[in-house]
Amino acid sequence: MRARDVDKEKLVIEMAIDQIVQEGFQGFSMNKLAKACSISVGTLYIYYKDKDDLIQKIGAIIALKFFTSTVKNFSPEMSFEEGLWKQWENRANFTMKYPKEVAFFEIVKHSPHSEIILDSIQEFADFRRIMKTFIDNGLRNNELIPMTFEAFWSVAYGPLYTLLNLHTEGKSMGGKPFTLTKEIMKEAFQATVKGLKP
């Protein structure tokens, strides 16, 4: 078996992300990927068993990068407002720094690959535990109103992701140019916290 070439592997990951973001799973094939990377299809099978394995391995790399960056300088022991703001900052920084990877993961998230990827990452279980502790602390300290997880998630993060989508598209409603600033993010955050506090 031939040795793995790290640079080649990086190129394969980059091109696969590009192709899936642009054409979805339907337009993606190992042949097209090999051609875009100027390598033989056989070379791809050094790294991956098949197309599903490739998608799941790339998804796991991105998910791990995301979970790691989301909890950077974050502690579940922070006050609810401070901790949620740190989450917003971390999520916004990641989305702005890696827009293609985020677009790729959004596609994968709504596919059968999603569960397989998340089940393969130990850090995802750690991430869920950290977030559960954070929410439990917020409830116990009377900093957060009780609600279903889905309602909490949509109120706590929905406004942020709406702003990030507008930023990625570079335009607001009606086609007006838009760039997300810290001031706009803070404005939306204050309204969000108001809606979550007792």
Side-chain angles (χ1 to χ4, degrees):
M1 191 177 181
R2 290 186 313 198
R4 295 170 87 99
D5 178 331
V6 176
D7 289 337
K8 209 172 270 182
E9 206 169 349
K10 270 171 141 171
L11 177 67
V12 165
I13 290 169
E14 201 179 299
M15 297 308 287
I17 290 169
D18 274 358
Q19 286 188 9
I20 289 169
V21 167
Q22 285 168 23
E23 301 174 42
F25 293 135
Q26 297 75 18
F28 176 71
S29 75
M30 295 295 257
N31 284 336
K32 263 167 114 172
L33 179 60
K35 196 174 177 186
C37 296
S38 302
I39 58 174
S40 72
V41 179
T43 303
L44 282 178
Y45 290 102
I46 294 169
Y47 310 116
Y48 308 102
K49 284 190 300 226
D50 53 29
K51 188 166 87 167
D52 288 344
D53 184 47
L54 177 142
I55 291 165
Q56 288 158 16
K57 283 198 169 122
I58 294 172
I61 291 165
I62 295 169
L64 184 55
K65 205 154 64 163
F66 172 72
F67 298 141
T68 306
S69 73
T70 302
V71 294
K72 189 179 175 194
N73 301 321
F74 169 80
S75 162
E77 306 309 319
M78 286 174 158
S79 74
F80 180 73
E81 190 167 338
E82 184 192 1
L84 189 63
W85 176 247
K86 180 46 70 183
Q87 283 284 307
W88 273 45
E89 282 187 317
N90 288 347
R91 288 164 188 260
N93 290 340
F94 186 86
T95 302
M96 289 172 169
K97 192 173 178 183
Y98 304 107
K100 270 188 191 166
E101 285 88 339
V102 170
F104 171 88
F105 201 73
E106 277 304 306
I107 294 166
V108 171
K109 207 166 76 176
H110 303 288
S111 78
H113 297 291
S114 178
E115 256 178 76
I116 296 162
I117 291 166
L118 295 177
D119 286 347
S120 75
I121 304 167
Q122 170 57 45
E123 287 81 358
F124 179 59
D126 299 339
F127 173 76
R128 286 175 77 168
R129 196 175 58 250
I130 289 166
M131 293 313 295
K132 186 182 182 318
T133 304
F134 175 62
I135 293 166
D136 288 347
N137 287 345
L139 288 166
R140 193 174 51 253
N141 298 331
N142 202 33
E143 298 174 292
L144 175 63
I145 52 173
M147 57 175 80
T148 61
F149 175 75
E150 293 76 12
F152 166 79
W153 201 96
S154 65
V155 176
Y157 299 109
L160 171 65
Y161 283 113
T162 300
L163 289 171
L164 287 168
N165 285 339
L166 296 174
H167 176 84
T168 301
E169 287 167 17
K171 55 181 188 275
S172 184
M173 315 305 170
K176 184 180 146 197
F178 179 80
T179 302
L180 181 57
T181 63
K182 195 166 182 173
E183 291 71 35
I184 294 171
M185 200 162 105
K186 202 77 180 174
E187 189 184 345
F189 178 76
Q190 294 303 342
T192 298
V193 167
K194 211 171 174 181
L196 290 167
K197 282 187 166 182

